[in-house]
Amino acid sequence: MISAPVFVELSAVPGLNVQKVRKALAETAVAIDFDLEEDVWMLAAASFAAYAIRRRSSGGGSPKRLPADFVIASHALLKADRLMTRDANRYAQDFPNLRLI
């Protein structure tokens, strides 16, 4: 299963579009969760806020990461069983219980 923000990101990959992504996901039996529930949004909000406070406190200034990253990770933690990413370090600190591949 993937969250809606992941579907949006995949659809913007050069050479892909909404139809191609939907077809590929259907062929691999990957569902799209378009109805993100309140628990996902609440965890994303709390995690993004903690990140923003940590960044400002360390002298790093304003947050640089996108809130969508926190929605994606929150969805993976609460509704799926793992998150596939090319940058595991980015998620490990904010979501230590999230299984990353």
Side-chain angles (χ1 to χ4, degrees):
M1 175 190 316
I2 63 169
S3 64
V6 172
F7 175 74
V8 171
E9 288 182 357
L10 290 173
S11 297
V13 170
L16 294 180
N17 58 41
V18 170
Q19 293 78 18
K20 288 179 181 179
V21 172
R22 283 190 91 110
K23 183 176 186 246
L25 293 173
E27 289 172 354
T28 55
V30 174
I32 307 165
D33 186 359
F34 286 112
D35 299 315
L36 300 179
E37 296 175 2
E38 182 178 347
D39 59 344
V40 171
W41 293 108
M42 296 301 286
L43 178 58
S47 299
F48 185 72
Y51 155 74
I53 290 167
R54 196 172 58 249
R55 182 160 170 85
R56 288 184 188 108
S57 296
S58 70
S62 298
K64 298 293 182 193
R65 293 180 57 196
L66 299 174
D69 292 338
F70 291 83
V71 174
I72 291 165
S74 296
H75 178 269
L77 181 63
L78 297 174
K79 306 298 179 186
D81 64 350
R82 69 195 81 175
L83 175 68
M84 182 186 298
T85 179
R86 293 185 302 169
D87 190 3
N89 292 333
R90 192 165 81 173
Y91 293 98
Q93 184 174 12
D94 296 301
F95 297 91
N97 296 323
L98 177 58
R99 188 170 151 208
L100 300 167
I101 55 172

